[in-house]
Amino acid sequence: MPCYEIDGLVPVVHPSAFVHPSAELIGDVWVGENVYVGPCASLRGDFGRLVLEAGSNLQDHCTMHGFPGADTVVEINGHIGHGAVLHGCRVRRNALVGMNAVVMDLAEVGEDSFVAAMAFVKAGLKVPPRSLLAGVPGKVVRELTAAELAWKIEGTATYHRLAQRCHASLHPVMARTLDDMDRPRWQAEDLRPLVQQRQDTD
């Protein structure tokens, strides 16, 4: 992975974490145990410190940054969806930030909470624990259900396993030039989108 020192600050990555080779880590970045960082993620620790605590994930094309002296933190088992932007904020333990959401400076996403895809969490907003926030600007919609929280926990566990799978088998190859659509598929885990689970119970 491309790692850059700035002002004597060098990124720190736990050996069990997986950081995709196309992700970039700059300066004061701390990646903890069993973390997954996806392709093209940008962690710019050139002003404030960036922390991914144990078991968290930061998916494809996510950005982490902050103002000087301000930490940007994803706590244990935090789950950050594709394309999200975190700037000088804190995502508490077991919280989820959806795809392409933005969480601004001094905002706090409470423990076990969800920020919906495309939502905007304005600067300084404190999202209560176990809440669903949606919209632009984001507003708390309701409390999360036990089924939604169970779905999130299992989804994050798949990223724990993905980090292990990547360590074990991900490597660069040349693409095949022949049609190979009949080849075996990866034996998918039994995890379906939340909307599909809701349809099954309706």
Side-chain angles (χ1 to χ4, degrees):
M1 84 206 84
C3 280
Y4 301 91
E5 175 180 355
I6 186 169
D7 299 323
L9 295 169
V10 177
V12 175
V13 178
H14 192 279
S16 65
F18 176 80
V19 179
H20 191 274
S22 65
E24 296 199 349
L25 280 58
I26 299 170
D28 196 0
V29 175
W30 189 89
V31 177
E33 186 176 358
N34 296 321
V35 166
Y36 173 87
V37 177
C40 300
S42 174
L43 293 88
R44 271 185 54 207
D46 47 13
F47 291 155
R49 176 168 292 177
L50 311 180
V51 178
L52 293 172
E53 292 187 358
S56 61
N57 65 77
L58 186 79
Q59 299 171 21
D60 320 33
H61 296 278
C62 288
T63 300
M64 287 184 74
H65 194 239
F67 280 107
D71 293 355
T72 305
V73 180
V74 179
E75 294 186 358
I76 293 170
N77 288 335
H79 190 106
I80 313 301
H82 315 290
V85 177
L86 306 179
H87 201 278
C89 59
R90 181 174 287 267
V91 177
R92 292 286 184 189
R93 179 188 292 254
N94 202 46
L96 178 148
V97 175
M99 300 177 203
N100 290 306
V102 176
V103 186
M104 291 298 295
D105 300 277
L106 301 179
E108 185 176 299
V109 178
E111 186 171 339
D112 297 321
S113 287
F114 290 7
V115 172
M118 304 291 289
F120 180 79
V121 183
K122 67 182 182 180
L125 183 66
K126 308 299 184 195
V127 180
R130 201 172 169 148
S131 297
L132 172 63
L133 177 139
V136 180
K139 295 185 180 349
V140 174
V141 176
R142 60 175 172 81
E143 187 171 314
L144 293 169
T145 67
E148 288 167 331
L149 288 171
W151 174 83
K152 186 272 170 198
I153 290 167
E154 182 52 35
T156 301
T158 66
Y159 274 90
H160 298 164
R161 294 187 287 272
L162 180 58
Q164 296 167 2
R165 289 172 55 210
C166 289
H167 276 302
S169 66
L170 183 75
H171 59 274
V173 294
M174 293 296 293
R176 295 183 178 183
T177 56
L178 299 176
D179 185 0
D180 193 17
M181 292 297 288
D182 294 329
R183 65 184 173 181
R185 294 176 182 263
W186 176 64
Q187 296 301 306
E189 301 173 21
D190 186 21
L191 181 68
R192 294 168 298 154
L194 190 56
V195 65
Q196 189 177 35
Q197 289 189 14
R198 287 184 183 135
Q199 289 169 349
D200 291 347
T201 58
D202 288 347

